[in-house]
Amino acid sequence: MNKRSRFILILAVLALCFVFLWPSIKWYALTPKEDQALALSTLENIKSYSTVKAAEDVAALKAAVKADAATALTEDQKWLKKAAEKNYRNMEKAIPSPMTLRDALASFDSEAEISELIEGRYRTKILADKKSYQNSVKLGLDLSGGMNVIVKADLDAVVAAQTGNSNIDEATLRANAMAQAVETLSSRIDRFGLSSPTIRQQGDDRIYIEIPGSAETDQINSIIQGRGILNFRLVDNEATDSFNSYYNTNMTTTFDSQGNLIDPSIIPEDCEVMGYYTTDDYGLDQREGYIVVKKEIVLDGKHIRSAQVGTEGITGKPQVSFTLDSEGSKIFGDFTSANVGKNLAIVSDDRVKSNATIKTAIMDGSVAITGFGQQEAQNLQKVLQTAWLEVPLSVESQQVIGASLGDQNIRQGLFAIVVGLAAIMVFMLIWYHGAGINACVAQILNLYIMFSILSAFNLTITLPAIAGMILTIGMAVDANVIIFERIKEELRLGKDRASAVSAGFSNALWSILDSNITTFIAAAFMSQLGSGAIQGFAYSLAIGVVSTVFTALVVSRLIFDVGTEAFHKQKISIGWGVK
């Protein structure tokens, strides 16, 4: 590889690394702490915050117009001017010039439309910050503080519950059970307002959960071990209409702060009110209204055996189909026969997820539900499968790390890296003189590349990972030492600068590759066979091996070649006794 090719390759690698590292830079350096806290909250909290802020902004805009009808649009309101101009063009009306705040607001059909526009701006900003965090290097609990929990799923109980069903493969059943357990925990933890949890399967029957920040141990345990309640209930349409009429005129006095009815007499004694939820574009439950359902449970979710998403034969619209066991088929058949034409609600975690009309008696235990979009159908399928599998979960281990200890670990880790790097750089400058500068540049680029790759793969930095970085620093300088000593040997034989550099790198190539390849193999085995801290150390070590080889053989060689060809140097400052 010639000098030009090396230069282009290095520029390409550094540019790509910057792209990888940019989300981390944006998150840790350019995002204010208050914005970070907001982005790390749950999607439901983000949605609530955006809605409230939008309402406040609309009120402020209306107050400004009321105070002065000729209020001009400010520089910060260019987005409003742009939206208003688009509205005027759609209405085929002349765009006012100059446009006042009153003109801009008048271009919207309703206050709700303005609120939706403003809410979208808040949502876009916060979700962009959240995406930066998701694409950035994460700090492990030993650095950021928080809690880690290992949950064991009792897959044997799942298999035992399906003993009578010979159509289900055991391996498939176990895999589906674990997938649904992870999905259920993710939804449950996010719903309870625990910020940015990391949830992943560990081994065959365990789930690893990391929850940054402070969280109550008892709350976590209740969330993990509790099961989502899924059942089928009859809808009281007459009571629903009556309640909604009452609610529309008494919105602030219908429910208390806990969501309970202040006056239970407004619905029949054998009924209760539940929110009816659909799924919005972000996968969040969005309440569309309220439905009054019977307290009596028609069918429990434990009778569901399978669920899948398909399409309705005539219209081609999404359809969720599920099958019941023999007991459930009998119960459901008798119930649907007696209630044709009425509505049946599917309730999950006290939320109505589907409100379907019973068109005919269903006697064979095969049920099909239509009337929603593809995303809603897939979400309903997950709800049904969660009830079908019913995976018993238990907390196997739990560890809490204080935030103050995490801050201390960060300071100590950074101190170790800085001191280790500085000590090595000083040694290289003293021992190898001018060539030591070459090694220092390679070391700095080595750490830059390492952090970039960690960011690219969204890996987590922990104390063991920092230990891997420090070890990499020592290994990286070792490659430079081998190269420099080989060059010194060639210079002692009387070769000129260019020949000594070329021969030195050629002779050192396989020594460097051999040592780094064996280290990479060891790191690869540790990453596959180990877990937790061992994996963190293995990943950073493996990444360090790759970046070490690149900086030692490509970056260092280019620096020597530039000195020889661009600056026409004849000698190398490479240590004592060599000129």
Side-chain angles (χ1 to χ4, degrees):
M1 184 181 294
N2 58 37
K3 182 183 66 177
R4 184 188 297 271
S5 300
R6 288 194 187 93
F7 182 69
I8 294 174
L9 176 61
I10 292 171
L11 284 182
V13 170
L14 295 181
L16 185 62
C17 286
F18 182 80
V19 173
F20 291 154
L21 198 57
W22 174 245
S24 297
I25 297 173
K26 185 178 179 182
W27 174 255
Y28 290 105
L30 304 179
T31 304
K33 291 293 184 182
E34 56 272 19
D35 290 349
Q36 288 185 1
L38 188 58
L40 288 175
S41 63
T42 65
L43 290 174
E44 290 189 356
N45 289 342
I46 292 172
K47 184 175 182 178
S48 298
Y49 174 85
S50 301
T51 302
V52 170
K53 292 296 291 183
E56 292 176 354
D57 288 355
V58 169
L61 292 174
K62 291 172 62 179
V65 171
K66 186 175 181 181
D68 182 4
T71 300
L73 290 169
T74 65
E75 285 295 317
D76 294 337
Q77 294 173 334
K78 285 183 177 180
W79 56 272
L80 181 58
K81 181 180 180 182
K82 184 177 180 181
E85 289 175 347
K86 181 179 179 181
N87 291 339
Y88 277 112
R89 284 193 292 269
N90 290 338
M91 293 185 294
E92 298 182 351
K93 292 183 177 180
I95 299 175
S97 181
M99 183 183 293
T100 64
L101 179 58
R102 181 176 184 177
D103 294 329
L105 297 182
S107 70
F108 293 90
D109 292 333
S110 64
E111 184 177 314
E113 188 177 348
I114 304 173
S115 180
E116 183 179 347
L117 173 65
I118 299 174
E119 181 182 347
R121 285 174 51 80
Y122 280 106
R123 181 173 60 246
T124 300
K125 171 63 171 63
I126 299 170
L127 292 181
D129 290 339
K130 196 177 191 72
K131 186 176 181 180
S132 294
Y133 170 75
Q134 292 169 346
N135 294 330
S136 67
V137 173
K138 310 296 190 301
L139 297 180
L141 295 186
D142 51 1
L143 299 179
S144 63
M147 175 187 297
N148 67 42
V149 184
I150 295 179
V151 178
K152 187 178 187 303
D154 190 354
L155 300 183
D156 292 335
V158 177
V159 174
Q162 305 296 324
T163 303
N165 194 341
S166 59
N167 296 325
I168 300 178
D169 177 68
E170 182 175 328
T172 303
L173 178 63
R174 288 176 176 269
N176 288 341
M178 283 302 297
Q180 292 304 318
V182 172
E183 179 71 27
T184 301
L185 280 178
S186 299
S187 173
R188 196 177 294 162
I189 289 175
D190 185 77
R191 183 178 300 169
F192 276 79
L194 303 174
S195 61
S196 297
T198 297
I199 304 173
R200 62 175 181 268
Q201 184 173 338
Q202 188 177 78
D204 294 330
D205 60 354
R206 284 169 174 77
I207 301 170
Y208 179 78
I209 304 173
E210 282 188 359
I211 303 172
S214 59
E216 294 293 334
T217 303
D218 293 339
Q219 181 192 26
I220 299 300
N221 290 341
S222 63
I223 292 172
I224 291 173
Q225 297 182 51
R227 293 184 183 178
I229 300 173
L230 184 139
N231 50 62
F232 298 78
R233 304 195 195 189
L234 187 65
V235 176
D236 190 326
N237 290 322
E238 184 178 343
T240 297
D241 293 338
S242 175
F243 170 81
N244 285 326
S245 297
Y246 176 87
Y247 177 74
N248 290 334
T249 56
N250 302 274
M251 289 186 179
T252 59
T253 57
T254 302
F255 297 102
D256 60 20
S257 59
Q258 303 299 318
N260 301 315
L261 282 176
I262 296 176
D263 181 10
S265 64
I266 61 176
I267 61 172
E269 290 186 3
D270 62 341
C271 294
E272 60 181 312
V273 177
M274 291 185 178
Y276 173 55
Y277 290 82
T278 59
T279 304
D280 63 15
D281 293 336
Y282 300 97
L284 288 174
D285 282 348
Q286 178 174 288
R287 192 180 71 233
E288 300 292 341
Y290 291 97
I291 293 177
V292 179
V293 298
K294 297 292 185 181
K295 292 181 179 179
E296 180 184 1
I297 294 175
V298 175
L299 186 70
D300 195 271
K302 67 181 181 181
H303 294 293
I304 299 174
R305 281 292 170 263
S306 64
Q308 60 184 5
V309 176
T311 55
E312 203 271 328
I314 298 176
T315 64
K317 294 182 178 180
Q319 171 179 281
V320 177
S321 303
F322 60 92
T323 58
L324 304 170
D325 59 15
S326 56
E327 181 182 356
S329 298
K330 176 67 168 59
I331 295 172
F332 203 66
D334 294 342
F335 172 78
T336 53
S337 297
N339 294 280
V340 174
K342 296 182 180 180
N343 282 36
L344 180 69
I346 298 179
V347 179
S348 176
D349 289 335
D350 294 327
R351 295 183 174 191
V352 176
K353 292 300 185 74
S354 176
N355 181 22
T357 302
I358 303 172
K359 296 179 179 180
T360 183
I362 302 172
M363 308 301 296
D364 60 357
S366 297
V367 186
I369 308 174
T370 58
F372 28 67
Q374 185 67 29
Q375 184 63 46
E376 290 176 299
Q378 291 173 349
N379 288 328
L380 181 58
Q381 179 204 22
K382 292 177 182 178
V383 170
L384 295 172
Q385 284 182 326
T386 301
W388 162 47
L389 293 169
E390 286 194 285
V391 185
L393 302 174
S394 60
V395 177
E396 190 171 68
S397 69
Q398 196 171 65
Q399 182 181 13
V400 179
I401 299 171
S404 60
L405 179 60
D407 291 339
Q408 181 182 349
N409 288 338
I410 292 175
R411 290 193 298 270
Q412 291 177 342
L414 290 176
F415 181 77
I417 291 177
V418 171
V419 170
L421 181 61
I424 289 174
M425 291 171 69
V426 169
F427 171 80
M428 295 299 288
L429 289 172
I430 292 174
W431 194 257
Y432 290 105
H433 299 178
I437 299 175
N438 184 320
C440 293
V441 173
Q443 287 284 355
I444 294 172
L445 291 180
N446 193 23
L447 282 177
Y448 170 74
I449 294 172
M450 281 188 65
F451 277 107
S452 300
I453 297 176
L454 286 169
S455 182
F457 289 98
N458 305 136
L459 297 177
T460 301
I461 296 180
T462 60
L463 282 177
I466 292 177
M469 294 178 190
I470 296 173
L471 179 60
T472 298
I473 292 173
M475 293 174 56
V477 80
D478 184 52
N480 287 114
V481 168
I482 294 174
I483 293 170
F484 294 169
E485 290 300 326
R486 292 287 190 177
I487 292 175
K488 288 167 70 175
E489 290 177 3
E490 299 300 325
L491 290 172
R492 291 191 183 103
L493 295 176
K495 293 185 178 181
D496 60 17
R497 176 188 171 102
S499 300
V501 169
S502 179
F505 272 91
S506 297
N507 293 332
L509 174 62
W510 288 108
S511 296
I512 294 172
L513 289 179
D514 287 346
S515 61
N516 282 281
I517 288 173
T518 53
T519 304
F520 185 86
I521 292 173
F525 273 97
M526 281 194 293
S527 67
Q528 294 300 313
L529 301 178
S531 61
I534 296 176
Q535 278 188 329
F537 175 80
Y539 288 146
S540 64
L541 183 60
I543 292 170
V545 167
V546 176
S547 61
T548 293
V549 171
F550 176 78
T551 55
L553 298 180
V554 181
V555 176
S556 293
R557 179 63 184 272
L558 179 64
I559 294 174
F560 278 120
D561 288 346
V562 169
T564 302
E565 299 178 25
F567 294 99
H568 307 291
K569 291 184 178 181
Q570 301 298 320
K571 296 182 179 180
I572 302 178
S573 174
I574 199 167
W576 306 96
V578 178
K579 295 184 178 180

